[in-house]
Amino acid sequence: MSRIFELIDKLEKDRILLKEEFSEIISGHTSETDEYLFAKARTVRERVYGKDVYIRGLIEFTNYCKNDCLYCGIRRSAKNAERYRLTEEQIMDCCEMGYGLGFRTFVLQGGEDGFYTDDKIVSIVSRIKAKYPDCAVTLSIGEKSRDSYEKFRKAGADRYLLRHETANPEHYGKLHPKGLTLENRMRCLSDLKELGFQTGCGFMVGSPYQTAENLAEDLLYISKLQPQMVGIGPFIPHHDTPFANEKAGTLETVLLMLGLTRLVVPNVLLPATTALGTIHPKGREKGILAGANVVMPNLSPSDVRKKYLLYDNKICTGDEAAECIACLGRRMESIGYRLVSDRGDFKE
């Protein structure tokens, strides 16, 4: 066990380990080594961001998707999914409500839906930025061409989230249909960084076929990419997918990966995800205490939230945004942190 303590100290100092060393921590961690890691992660996070927890207003604007990823509840083959699309006016209404509640970042998330052409996305982004110039706009709409990303950036989009899901090509192929490649996913992420987006990658913990070595590869990729954001959450099976009967990722491993990621990229914007709150009643609080500093309440109209189900038993699908943010505020205060009304940009 002393060896893992030594490796955590080394990671804090050097911000990188060998693949074998990351694997050793992941395979051999205990509750004692976890607490040691989390204490260091909190110190590093508070050195950069203090006790502030940033809020992002999530707007899930379409659950149509052309892809057929094996883990996803809105995959093309999910015949029982009740599909919807928000209009531009509905999206603007979500922003208006969110702005009044103190949100200064809006996250537009959806499946890869060809209905929303580049021109439509440009129009939406431009309108939000014109009406709320003090706000950041984050897009999370999948793999696009470099030209498309450049249009979105010129329209005013500040950030882009695109989870890489796994940094191992063979593992990637087991989670995705033919035609989707890790090579193209990583090309997208490189393009986004080069175009000046605050760029977010990320991965699922506990996805089928995943090994400790795969998770070590994720950390090495994050170290190489140096993203401004990393989204890490548990794999949670959805009943209408080929992985319906697979086991979910564990809270302990997600928290471990949050803590390690904080040491790899000390300034990273790191969410305590809704999925983390789904697998444990205090999952988001535990995520913050493991080194995270972002939460993402839902601003989508309440009548569509139950339709955007990437996995089963998603929490907060019926809450009004005001209720949700008040609840989150109390939760953060209970562990010594505070929600702030701020764009919450990456700090160099």
Side-chain angles (χ1 to χ4, degrees):
M1 191 186 301
S2 61
R3 166 70 174 164
I4 293 179
F5 288 121
E6 290 171 8
L7 289 174
I8 292 169
D9 287 341
K10 182 181 176 184
L11 177 60
E12 181 188 25
K13 178 174 175 286
D14 299 339
R15 301 188 186 178
I16 190 63
L17 296 174
L18 298 173
K19 177 180 171 180
E20 295 75 20
E21 292 173 324
F22 277 131
S23 297
E24 194 175 340
I25 294 175
I26 294 163
S27 298
H29 74 104
T30 65
S31 58
E32 288 80 16
T33 59
D34 285 351
E35 286 307 318
Y36 187 71
L37 169 66
F38 300 156
K40 287 191 175 294
R42 288 193 297 271
T43 299
V44 169
R45 188 269 317 282
E46 289 171 20
R47 191 182 304 143
V48 182
Y49 295 105
K51 295 281 191 178
D52 292 349
V53 175
Y54 299 127
I55 53 172
R56 316 297 199 205
L58 184 61
I59 303 171
E60 296 162 335
F61 68 100
T62 174
N63 71 346
Y64 283 85
C65 191
K66 69 179 184 181
N67 294 328
D68 222 11
C69 304
L70 277 69
Y71 48 82
C72 184
I74 63 169
R75 65 198 300 261
R76 188 181 68 236
S77 296
K79 304 300 183 189
N80 296 317
E82 191 178 345
R83 306 291 180 175
Y84 73 91
R85 293 183 176 110
L86 298 186
T87 66
E88 190 168 312
E89 294 308 320
Q90 286 177 305
I91 293 170
M92 294 304 296
D93 287 345
C94 293
C95 293
E96 183 176 2
M97 175 185 64
Y99 192 86
L101 290 171
F103 290 88
R104 296 299 179 264
T105 289
F106 302 116
V107 181
L108 302 180
Q109 180 175 300
E112 294 195 21
D113 181 358
F115 173 83
Y116 294 94
T117 61
D118 287 357
D119 287 347
K120 286 180 179 172
I121 296 296
V122 164
S123 175
I124 293 166
V125 171
S126 299
R127 281 190 66 184
I128 295 172
K129 293 296 287 190
K131 188 168 184 182
Y132 307 106
D134 56 332
C135 292
V137 172
T138 302
L139 296 176
S140 181
I141 52 177
E143 296 180 4
K144 305 285 183 182
S145 69
R146 185 184 178 98
D147 285 347
S148 295
Y149 290 146
E150 193 164 10
K151 290 175 187 175
F152 303 156
R153 185 79 184 105
K154 286 180 178 175
D158 303 276
R159 307 181 188 132
Y160 203 104
L161 296 170
L162 182 65
R163 287 191 178 190
H164 65 278
E165 300 302 0
T166 173
N168 180 282
E170 184 180 349
H171 186 216
Y172 195 91
K174 292 178 178 178
L175 303 179
H176 299 89
K178 286 183 172 62
L180 292 183
T181 67
L182 180 59
E183 181 183 18
N184 191 57
R185 184 64 59 111
M186 289 181 169
R187 185 274 305 167
C188 290
L189 285 160
S190 294
D191 285 349
L192 289 162
K193 278 215 78 179
E194 288 172 11
L195 289 167
F197 283 93
Q198 291 182 44
T199 301
C201 64
F203 55 94
M204 292 179 294
V205 172
S207 59
Y209 315 110
Q210 187 180 69
T211 64
E213 288 72 25
N214 293 152
L215 289 170
E217 289 166 328
D218 287 319
L219 292 167
L220 291 172
Y221 174 63
I222 288 166
S223 177
K224 178 184 175 184
L225 182 66
Q226 287 294 304
Q228 287 83 15
M229 305 172 286
V230 177
I232 301 171
F235 162 74
I236 302 176
H238 186 285
H239 63 277
D240 208 13
T241 68
F243 291 157
N245 297 317
E246 299 288 341
K247 289 182 180 177
T250 66
L251 174 76
E252 291 74 19
T253 310
V254 176
L255 298 177
L256 173 73
M257 299 308 292
L258 287 172
L260 292 172
T261 299
R262 174 60 65 191
L263 297 190
V264 170
V265 187
N267 297 19
V268 72
L269 294 163
L270 194 60
T273 63
T274 300
L276 197 52
T278 296
I279 64 169
H280 190 282
K282 291 190 178 295
R284 286 172 294 186
E285 292 95 315
K286 289 178 178 291
I288 297 296
L289 291 171
N293 66 323
V294 173
V295 290
M296 299 174 68
N298 202 323
L299 291 178
S300 307
S302 54
D303 62 330
V304 303
R305 290 191 201 172
K306 290 183 172 66
K307 302 174 186 177
Y308 198 89
L309 290 181
L310 306 184
Y311 50 83
D312 285 347
N313 304 314
K314 183 179 174 184
I315 58 170
C316 299
T317 54
D319 290 357
E320 295 296 331
E323 295 170 5
C324 191
I325 195 169
C327 172
L328 270 175
R330 291 190 295 272
R331 285 172 175 267
M332 294 303 105
E333 287 169 13
S334 75
I335 57 170
Y337 290 84
R338 57 177 173 264
L339 291 187
V340 292
S341 182
D342 191 297
R343 274 176 51 119
D345 286 304
F346 177 82
K347 294 185 178 179
E348 296 291 347

